Amino acid sequence: VQLQASGGGLVQAGDSLRLSCAASGRTFNSYDMGWFRQAPGKDREFVAGINSGYYTYYADSVKGRFTISRDNAKNTVYLEMNSLKPEDTAVYYCAAVRSSRWSTPDYWGQGTQVTVSS
């Protein structure tokens, strides 16, 4: 599976962004898909996930502001980010995992930068 993330950019606090992650291959439906982020000087952290049954998971820091979704017909997973805060600034990565094992993704996308100014 190859993953291509896009949609990052520079926004102001309170703005919204939608990230997309397009996957290659015909096995997309069988993977759980997640978004992770890494801020400068910090470890990569889990942000949101959606399993093959469309059940969603969120980090507490983004719950209520971010929404993950997937379109299996387009082999794409999305992350809708609202009410963005400066602390959301990071490189965002999409990942494909098996059985919701979010700590050990099988495949990573290349990352897209999100910068939120105050």
Side-chain angles (χ1 to χ4, degrees):
V1 176
Q2 291 185 318
L3 304 174
Q4 182 75 32
S6 62
L10 171 62
V11 297
Q12 294 186 328
D15 285 351
S16 298
L17 270 179
R18 188 174 82 154
L19 305 183
S20 300
C21 176
S24 65
R26 291 180 281 183
T27 59
F28 175 79
N29 296 7
S30 66
Y31 282 93
D32 301 338
M33 299 298 297
W35 286 96
F36 297 73
R37 66 187 181 188
Q38 187 167 20
K42 295 189 176 182
D43 293 335
R44 191 174 299 189
E45 63 175 0
F46 173 81
V47 175
I50 184 166
N51 68 14
S52 56
Y54 295 89
Y55 189 85
T56 57
Y57 309 79
Y58 296 97
D60 288 343
S61 58
V62 306
K63 208 171 288 185
R65 299 188 298 122
F66 290 11
T67 302
I68 189 170
S69 62
R70 65 190 297 163
D71 185 338
N72 287 346
K74 295 182 178 180
N75 279 13
T76 301
V77 62
Y78 304 98
L79 185 68
E80 185 75 36
M81 304 185 295
N82 298 315
S83 302
L84 282 162
K85 304 175 181 181
E87 51 264 44
D88 294 319
T89 295
V91 178
Y92 284 70
Y93 300 88
C94 59
V97 311
R98 293 285 195 186
S99 303
S100 299
R101 289 194 291 265
W102 306 113
S103 61
T104 54
D106 292 70
Y107 301 97
W108 289 99
Q110 88 287 4
T112 184
Q113 177 71 47
V114 173
T115 304
V116 185
S117 63
S118 56

